[in-house]
Amino acid sequence: MSQALVRTAAGWLLGLMLAVVGAIVSVNLVNSSVASPQQPVREYLEAMQKGEGERALGLLRASVPDADPAMLDGTALQTSASRITNVKLGDAQARTGNRVMVPMDYTIDGSQLHTEFLLESTGTEWLFFHKWAFVPAALPTVDVTVVNSTEATVNGVPVNMPGGRNTFAVFYPGEYEASLNGQFFSAPQTSATVSGRDAATAPLNLLTQATEELNQAVGTRVKEFLDKCAAEADKQQRLQPDCPFYHATNNRVVDGTIKWSITEYPKISIEPFDGKWVVAPLDGKARITAQQVDLFTGGVSTLNEVHDFSFTTRLDINGDTIKVTPLLSF
C-alpha cells in the first residue's frame, strides 16, 4: 500500500472518530439541556409566568380536584408565579422506577423555599434523546374563609364565597393572597405560600370589619335620630319623650322652658354576630335645661342636668342602602 493511500485512510479514520466523538458530545449536551429532567420544569414555570393554565396543567400532567378553578389561569396564575424569584434548579437525583427528583430553590417575599419535582422517563427520541415528564398527581388546594361575606378577592381576581368559604385548586409553587375591599366591609390582606403538591397550607381566613365609610354612615343616621328626637321633645315640652333619654323629678317644671340637647353622641362599633352585622349598644349623654318650681317651698330654680342614655339599633344593608332602626323600650 502506498504511503499516500495510508495517509488518506488515516485521515478518513480520524474524521470518522471525530464525528463519532462530536455526536456523543452533542447527544450528551442535548440530554443535559433541552432533553434533561430540568427542561419540563423550566417549561412549566414559564407557562405559569405567562398565565397559561392549560399548558401548565398539561405539562404537570396533574388532575384537578373538586375545587374552584379560578386560580388556574390568567391573572390569578400570573400573580402567583410573579412572586417566585431567584430560581435555582439542582441536579436530578435518581429515584426508583426510572424516576428522578429535580430540586428547586427559590425565594418568595424574601423567604428561602424549596420544592421537589418528581419526573419519570417516558422513553427516547431518535434513539438517543431522553424524554422526561412529571409524575401525575392531583393539584393542591387552598381554603379561604371570610366573615359575613359571599365574595372576596384572591390574587387580584374577584371570587364567589358561598356561605363565606371556598376551596381553590392551585398550581405550585406560588403565593396566594386573599382580601376583601368592599364599600362597607373589608378585610386585611392575608397570604399563603404553596411549596409543593403535598405541602400542608394554612387556610386564608379573612377577618371582615366594617369600613370607616359604614361607621360614618351609621353615625350620621344615629346623630340625625337623636337630634330629631331632642327637637321633638322640645316642641312637645316633655321630660320623658319617646327617646333614649328622659328626666324624672318631684318638682314642677315650667312649661315652655324645657330644652334638650345631646352633649355626647354614641361611638359606633359594628361587629359580626351570628351571621349578621350588629351595632354595639349606643351610649351617650343628653342635657336638659328648664325652670323648675319646688312644690314644697315654691322656690324657682334652674334645672341643668346631664343624663347618660343607652339604646340599641337594628342595622339593615341592601346594596348601597343603609337603614338604622332604633330599638327603644319604655
Side-chain angles (χ1 to χ4, degrees), residues 12 73 134 181 184 258:
W12 277 103
D73 200 34
F134 289 93
N181 299 299
F184 298 138
I258 297 174

Side-chain angles (χ1 to χ4, degrees), residues 183-202:
Q183 179 182 7
F184 298 138
F185 302 102
S186 66
Q189 179 176 285
T190 182
S191 63
T193 299
V194 180
S195 60
R197 68 183 189 186
D198 300 321
T201 304

Side-chain angles (χ1 to χ4, degrees), residues 93 136 147 171 252 284:
Q93 301 174 18
V147 175
F171 286 111
R252 180 173 65 83

Side-chain angles (χ1 to χ4, degrees), residues 274-308:
D274 197 25
K276 300 179 180 179
W277 291 97
V278 297
V279 181
L282 299 168
D283 301 323
K285 297 180 184 296
R287 181 186 300 277
I288 182 173
T289 60
Q291 293 298 305
Q292 60 183 352
V293 178
D294 190 307
L295 296 179
F296 295 100
T297 67
V300 178
S301 63
T302 299
L303 170 66
N304 187 347
E305 290 191 18
V306 174
H307 293 287
D308 295 330

Side-chain angles (χ1 to χ4, degrees), residues 194-239:
V194 180
S195 60
R197 68 183 189 186
D198 300 321
T201 304
L204 295 176
N205 298 322
L206 293 174
L207 302 179
T208 314
Q209 301 171 341
T211 63
E212 185 59 29
E213 181 176 349
L214 178 59
N215 286 330
Q216 290 180 358
V218 172
T220 297
R221 284 159 178 75
V222 169
K223 183 177 183 299
E224 289 173 348
F225 162 71
L226 290 172
D227 288 343
K228 182 178 179 180
C229 210
E232 190 66 20
D234 292 352
K235 181 179 179 181
Q236 296 176 357
Q237 289 293 287
R238 295 178 62 183
L239 295 178

Side-chain angles (χ1 to χ4, degrees), residues 235-272:
K235 181 179 179 181
Q236 296 176 357
Q237 289 293 287
R238 295 178 62 183
L239 295 178
Q240 299 180 357
D242 297 332
C243 298
F245 43 82
Y246 67 93
H247 177 73
T249 181
N250 291 323
N251 297 328
R252 180 173 65 83
V253 177
V254 179
D255 192 34
T257 66
I258 297 174
K259 175 66 176 177
W260 285 98
S261 62
I262 308 300
T263 60
E264 184 177 312
Y265 291 95
K267 292 181 173 60
I268 305 301
S269 178
I270 302 172
E271 303 291 341

